[in-house]
Amino acid sequence: MSATLEDLKKTFAFAIPADVLAKLDPAKPLAAQGVDSLAMTAMAVAMQNAFGVKVSVEEGLKLKTLNDVLAFVNKAR
């Protein structure tokens, strides 16, 4: 079963402030929407815990948008 954007948002709720999470545009860069490096690190841990997906540093640097994250999770599962 594939993950959805809603699945990701629920998974990342502890890492991204609610006001930022509610406004996230999945096609825009996360950094430009207020998601900082600490949140990105927490998101990588959350992906591993929720979806069993490990994110290397090299892979993490390529994940610019929420759509990128979703594609990565669904491909890696």
Side-chain angles (χ1 to χ4, degrees):
M1 187 170 165
S2 295
T4 66
L5 287 171
E6 286 307 311
D7 294 332
L8 290 182
K9 287 182 177 184
K10 288 177 188 172
T11 301
F12 300 151
F14 78 94
I16 302 172
D19 60 322
V20 174
L21 190 62
K23 297 178 195 175
L24 278 184
D25 180 335
K28 291 185 180 177
L30 293 166
Q33 297 183 80
V35 180
D36 63 17
S37 60
L38 289 176
M40 292 293 286
T41 301
M43 289 167 60
V45 172
M47 282 190 277
Q48 183 173 351
N49 292 338
F51 304 110
V53 174
K54 289 188 178 184
V55 183
S56 71
V57 172
E58 294 82 20
E59 292 165 329
L61 292 172
K62 295 176 188 175
L63 302 177
K64 303 290 184 194
T65 69
L66 201 55
N67 284 335
D68 292 343
V69 175
L70 182 63
F72 175 81
V73 167
N74 285 327
K75 183 178 178 184
R77 288 176 89 187

